[in-house]
Every structure is written in structure tokens, then in C-alpha cells.
């Protein structure tokens, strides 16, 4: 079973890597998903109002989040901002770092794999949390149901994009290792043949 899954994943990664534009396109798609989540949350699902009573010198802050709140009282809108912000900053920082350090001095594949794995788990957790609280009975009559569902869908889309990036990065590293091993083995065989040939000439003399 595991071998079959590995073969399918390897073939999928091989197909994806044949499109030279894909490794460059994935970060932009990830940025698009994270940016869309932040914008939709800000414009459609989160409303913050400050009411000021001049006579009583009292300020009242109304913070309405249509994504709901977690059991511990955490506002899910702030969680959406945090997840999107972390994803955007990390993606941009990694791209700039690899560009300035020539693919991180040859270790870019390892860094890509670690980053993609972290992003996959981050957005998987976010998607599960948004989906769980969106299905609670308390949210049945809440407005903007379609926009809430779009946040869940975008979270799982970001998870899938990071997952594909992780598979592609692992496959790229394994391919590079295999090609290096084959190259060193070929060179060793050539050296052995040259030594045997030279030894035969020496013996004939």
C-alpha cells in the first residue's frame, strides 16, 4: 500500500515538475490565497466600531466577527489575520532570501521542503478550525454564510498548494541525489577501466 502511494506521489511530482513555470507559480498562488483570506475577513466578516459617549466620557468598542469565536474565546477573525499574515511574510521572505543567497548556497531544496511542510500543516489546521466552528448550531443563522465558506475553501486550497510544493521539493532533492550517485559511480567505473588498461600495457612491456 505504501509503495503504491509512493509511486503515485512520485509520478504526480514528476508530471508537475515537467511544467517549468509551476515552481515559480506556486508561491504566487499561495500569496493569492492568503491575501484573499485577509481581505475577505476584513471587508465581509469583521466589523469593529468605536462608539463614543461625549456626555459620559465613555467609549464602547463593538467587535463583531462572523467567523465565530473558539471555545477559549479567541476571535477567529484575528486567527485568520494571523495565519494569512504569517503565510504572506514567510513566502515573501523565503523568496527574497533564496534570491539574494543563490538558492541558499545549494540548500534551497531543504529549506523549501521544511517551509512547504510547515505551510501545509498551518493551513490544514486553519481549514479544520474554520470548518468546525462554521458548522456549529450557533452559526446557522449568522449572515455571510457564503463568505465564511469561502474562507474554509481558500484555507484548504492553500494547504493543497503547500502540499504540492513539498512533494515537488522532496522529489527534486531525491532526483538530484540519485543523479549525483549515478555520476560518481560512472566516474569510478571509468577510472577502474583506465587503470586496468594501463596495467595491461605495462605488463605487455
Amino acid at each position: 500500500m505504501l509503495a503504491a502511494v509512493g509511486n503515485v506521489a512520485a509520478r504526480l511530482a514528476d508530471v508537475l515538475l515537467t511544467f517549468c513555470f509551476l515552481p515559480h507559480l506556486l508561491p504566487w498562488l499561495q500569496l493569492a490565497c492568503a491575501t484573499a483570506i485577509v481581505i475577505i475577513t476584513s471587508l465581509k466578516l469583521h466589523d469593529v466600531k468605536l462608539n463614543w459617549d461625549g456626555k459620559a466620557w465613555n467609549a464602547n468598542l463593538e467587535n463583531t466577527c462572523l467567523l465565530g469565536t473558539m471555545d477559549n474565546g479567541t476571535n477567529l477573525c484575528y486567527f485568520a489575520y494571523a495565519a494569512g499574515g504569517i503565510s504572506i511574510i514567510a513566502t515573501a521572505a523565503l523568496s527574497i532570501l533564496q534570491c539574494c543567497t543563490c538558492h541558499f548556497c545549494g540548500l534551497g531544496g531543504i529549506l523549501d521542503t521544511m517551509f512547504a511542510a510547515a505551510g501545509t500543516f498551518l493551513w490544514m489546521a486553519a481549514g479544520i478550525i474554520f470548518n468546525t466552528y462554521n458548522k456549529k448550531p450557533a452559526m446557522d443563522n449568522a449572515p455571510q454564510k457564503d463568505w465564511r465558506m469561502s474562507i474554509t475553501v481558500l484555507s484548504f486550497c492553500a494547504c493543497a498548494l503547500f502540499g504540492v510544493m513539498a512533494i515537488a521539493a522532496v522529489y527534486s532533492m531525491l532526483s538530484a541525489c540519485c543523479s549525483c550517485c549515478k555520476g560518481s559511480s560512472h566516474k569510478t567505473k571509468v577510472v577502474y577501466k583506465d587503470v586496468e588498461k594501463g596495467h595491461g600495457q605495462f605488463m605487455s612491456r
Side-chain angles (χ1 to χ4, degrees), residues 158-177:
C159 174
L161 290 170
F162 276 103
V164 171
M165 182 179 175
I167 294 173
V170 171
Y171 182 77
S172 178
M173 286 194 303
L174 292 177
S175 299
C177 291

Side-chain angles (χ1 to χ4, degrees), residues 64-84:
T64 305
C65 177
L66 296 179
L67 282 174
T69 56
M70 299 177 68
D71 295 335
N72 59 1
T74 302
N75 190 322
L76 283 179
C77 289
Y78 293 141
F79 178 75
Y81 294 144

